[in-house]
């Protein structure tokens, strides 16, 4: 297990377009008895309701969603390109089918009871503030539904306060 230090937001220098959209992140939720993780490339970081915030979208079919809904907390782990194959595996296999964290070789750690993936160099600990089911009638651009939701597996948008930032 790696040693992480708690850091303040003012020293975090990341490009969210690169870090989330290109490099990917792992969304991890659960507790010390059972946790699950998934790879994500959609989301955002910013300010909401006077708090540093993370915005993530999770499809209804995802096993990780059950853990977020139950615990109301999750982590965003950023392992980096050297762990691309790990992230591909964690995004392709369902935790309902197998203990994919164990099978993949990912190491799980906990911070204040919130699970995270230890291979990361940066971890955001998040507490859910809001969850909104994204419905097709909400799309102003009808092409969104046609392009991204052919299977009708819509997302829930989670807005979460970033309570802690950990770095190696």
């Amino acid at each position: 297990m790696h040693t992480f230090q708690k850091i303040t937001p003012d020293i975090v220098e990341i490009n969210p377009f690169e870090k989330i959209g290109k490099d990917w992140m792992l969304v991890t939720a659960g507790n010390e008895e059972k946790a699950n993780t998934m790879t994500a490339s959609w989301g955002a970081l910013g300010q909401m309701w006077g708090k540093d915030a993370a915005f993530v979208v999770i499809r209804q079919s995802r096993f990780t969603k059950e853990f977020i809904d139950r615990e109301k907390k999750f982590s965003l782990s950023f392992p980096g390109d050297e762990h691309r194959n790990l992230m591909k595996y964690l995004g392709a296999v369902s935790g309902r089918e197998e203990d994919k964290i164990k099978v993949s070789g990912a190491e799980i750690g906990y911070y204040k009871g919130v699970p995270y993936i230890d291979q990361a160099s940066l971890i955001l600990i998040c507490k859910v503030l809001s969850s909104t089911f994204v419905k097709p009638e909400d799309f102003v651009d009808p092409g969104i539904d046609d392009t991204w939701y052919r299977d009708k597996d819509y997302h829930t948008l989670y807005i979460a306060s970033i309570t802690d930032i950990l770095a190696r």
Side-chain angles (χ1 to χ4, degrees):
M1 296 293 280
H2 294 96
T3 302
F4 289 89
Q5 294 180 333
K6 184 176 174 181
I7 61 173
T8 57
D10 60 311
I11 64 170
V12 177
E13 293 185 22
I14 63 170
N15 175 339
F17 302 103
E18 291 284 320
K19 203 61 134 168
I20 297 170
K22 182 178 175 242
D23 297 341
W24 305 342
M25 62 185 170
L26 294 170
V27 181
T28 309
N31 56 39
E32 294 196 28
E33 291 176 22
K34 179 109 173 115
N36 198 60
T37 192
M38 60 174 271
T39 304
S41 62
W42 289 7
L45 302 173
Q47 286 282 311
M48 191 69 178
W49 301 310
K51 299 177 185 299
D52 295 329
F55 303 76
V56 296
V57 288
I58 310 291
R59 290 187 188 271
Q60 301 303 301
S61 62
R62 293 300 217 134
F63 192 40
T64 303
K65 183 181 183 313
E66 296 176 27
F67 293 86
I68 294 172
D69 289 343
R70 184 183 69 228
E71 301 295 330
K72 307 294 187 222
K73 296 177 188 173
F74 61 90
S75 67
L76 301 178
S77 301
F78 298 91
D81 203 47
E82 65 273 22
H83 297 289
R84 178 67 65 172
N85 287 336
L86 172 73
M87 291 189 290
K88 284 180 181 178
Y89 181 82
L90 293 171
V93 174
S94 173
R96 284 188 188 98
E97 309 298 318
E98 66 181 42
D99 184 348
K100 68 180 182 177
I101 294 173
K102 182 179 179 181
V103 171
S104 71
E107 296 177 32
I108 195 160
Y110 294 88
Y111 181 81
K112 297 182 180 176
V114 178
Y116 63 85
I117 301 302
D118 190 65
Q119 281 87 340
S121 56
L122 177 69
I123 298 162
L124 307 179
I125 304 295
C126 302
K127 180 181 177 187
V128 174
L129 298 172
S130 169
S131 65
T132 304
F133 179 65
V134 179
K135 303 178 293 298
E137 56 268 21
D138 294 334
F139 302 132
V140 175
D141 177 352
I144 294 171
D145 196 34
D146 296 339
T147 302
W148 299 104
Y149 297 102
R150 288 188 187 129
D151 61 359
K152 304 306 178 199
D153 188 13
Y154 295 100
H155 285 98
T156 294
L157 166 65
Y158 294 93
I159 301 173
S161 64
I162 300 170
T163 60
D164 295 285
I165 302 172
L166 309 175
R168 267 200 270 160

